[in-house]
Amino acid sequence: MRTLLKRLRTYPPVNRAATTSARAVARVVPALASGAERHLPRTGIVGDVLPNGRRLVLEGAGDEPWSNALYWRGWDRFYEPETVGVFFELASTARVTLDVGANVGIFSLLAGHANPAGRVVAFEPDPRAFRRLVRHVELNDVANVSCQMIAVSDTDGDVTLYSGAATRAEDAVALSAQTSRMRAHVEAEGWRVERVDEMRATGVTLDAFVAAHRLDSVDLVKIDVEGAEAQVLAGMSDTLRRHRPTLVCEVLTADAGKGLEEVLEPYGYRWSQLTWAGPVPRDHVRPVGVGVWPNYLFTRPA
């Protein structure tokens, strides 16, 4: 019976009617929203209006969390709410935005919508995520977003990547090439790593990519590569020196944070943790738990 009900709630006509009615009720009684989001996931194409009037669109079949969260929470609260608003504002004036570890394209889409006259490059080496990234770019009609199935690192040429399936309440996490350290970190937080898959991908440094594509104004870079952020920075020293981009970077471990400090401090960068209260300057780059304010903003004074 439970299986039948799950299938019924994903049947498009039933799903649209049920979720539309439930969301209307939840807006009157907000306490019902979280339960409705969890037990009645919206499937298909969903969207929300951004501050500049453009529409962010995602597609899901009940097999990922982002589209459902967008439907129930809205664009400014559905994913890393302490970060998306700040990122959207930064992207609105960025001539070139690089999204390293784009996954299904949330930040790439925000950047493409924030500044339609700007250029956005989304890097995602995982074929599964890349397919959704390309689909989302098509759905959003953001012709200024370019998708690259490339792994950004500190060397050019083929690289080995590790992706892992870890479960805690059916969530998933990717593991960087620093598999043993990241695995220990993940398991310490109460996740169970079920498997680690290895795959080969084309690797490139951002310095090489920027030079090859003659990008002369890299203003904003978002980096989310599950612990290998310092490797990405090590491959963009010329970009950091010449373009002085603002960086939005995920920090999962204290070691990763220390590595970021060591790379960025010589260039004069300062850092703030992105929190619900806005960017907060910190003496050191350190995470606060897993999934709680994971991102830092790195800026270089003029």
Side-chain angles (χ1 to χ4, degrees):
M1 179 62 71
R2 181 175 297 181
T3 300
L4 178 61
L5 289 175
K6 285 185 177 180
R7 290 179 178 176
L8 181 61
R9 74 182 183 187
T10 60
Y11 180 59
V14 173
N15 183 265
R16 284 194 297 270
T19 53
T20 300
S21 300
R23 189 170 67 167
V25 173
R27 286 175 174 172
V28 178
V29 187
L32 300 177
S34 61
E37 177 184 343
R38 185 169 61 255
H39 297 294
L40 194 58
R42 178 79 168 198
T43 60
I45 296 173
V46 303
D48 194 31
V49 178
L50 297 167
N52 61 358
R54 293 174 67 92
R55 189 170 178 82
L56 174 66
V57 178
L58 297 177
E59 183 178 46
D63 57 346
E64 47 71 47
W66 306 288
S67 59
N68 182 51
L70 177 63
Y71 178 78
W72 289 102
R73 304 181 203 174
W75 83 274
D76 58 340
R77 294 187 295 116
F78 85 108
Y79 182 75
E80 297 184 354
E82 74 287 344
T83 302
V84 290
V86 173
F87 182 85
F88 187 86
E89 183 176 354
L90 291 168
S92 68
T93 58
R95 291 161 292 181
V96 175
T97 298
L98 306 180
D99 185 2
V100 180
N103 200 336
V104 302
I106 291 170
F107 284 99
S108 296
L109 300 174
L110 288 173
H113 282 306
N115 184 9
R119 182 174 180 181
V120 182
V121 183
F123 299 90
E124 177 50 57
D126 187 323
R128 297 161 297 183
F130 186 80
R131 287 192 290 270
R132 290 201 175 192
L133 166 65
V134 171
R135 172 60 173 161
H136 284 152
V137 168
E138 293 172 347
L139 284 173
N140 283 265
D141 194 23
V142 278
N144 58 331
V145 178
S146 167
C147 302
Q148 304 287 330
M149 199 165 74
I150 296 173
V152 177
S153 188
D154 55 352
T155 58
D156 296 313
D158 288 349
V159 296
T160 300
L161 299 178
Y162 301 87
S163 64
T167 61
R168 184 181 64 185
E170 299 181 348
D171 286 319
V173 63
L175 304 180
S176 76
Q178 300 168 324
T179 309
S180 59
R181 182 163 59 182
M182 288 303 299
R183 185 180 188 126
H185 165 69
V186 167
E187 290 179 338
E189 293 296 332
W191 300 62
R192 184 180 72 257
V193 178
E194 293 189 330
R195 71 175 191 277
V196 176
D197 300 321
E198 182 177 313
M199 64 180 176
R200 298 290 289 173
T202 300
V204 67
T205 64
L206 281 186
D207 280 347
F209 187 90
V210 168
H213 291 80
R214 299 180 180 179
L215 303 180
D216 57 4
S217 55
V218 179
D219 297 318
L220 178 61
V221 181
K222 187 231 86 182
I223 308 173
D224 182 352
V225 288
E226 306 301 336
E229 287 77 16
Q231 291 173 247
V232 173
L233 293 178
M236 58 180 294
S237 57
D238 189 54
T239 303
L240 292 172
R241 179 179 56 81
R242 293 180 58 235
H243 299 280
R244 307 162 63 96
T246 296
L247 309 172
V248 174
C249 188
E250 183 180 64
V251 180
L252 291 179
T253 68
D255 283 347
K258 183 178 179 180
L260 295 175
E261 289 183 34
E262 291 173 351
V263 173
L264 292 173
E265 195 166 27
Y267 294 98
Y269 274 88
R270 299 174 183 173
W271 43 81
S272 299
Q273 189 172 24
L274 294 174
T275 75
W276 296 327
V280 176
R282 302 293 192 197
D283 292 332
H284 296 286
V285 180
R286 299 290 185 270
V288 178
V290 172
V292 180
W293 304 340
N295 295 312
Y296 270 76
L297 176 67
F298 296 90
T299 56
R300 183 174 171 180

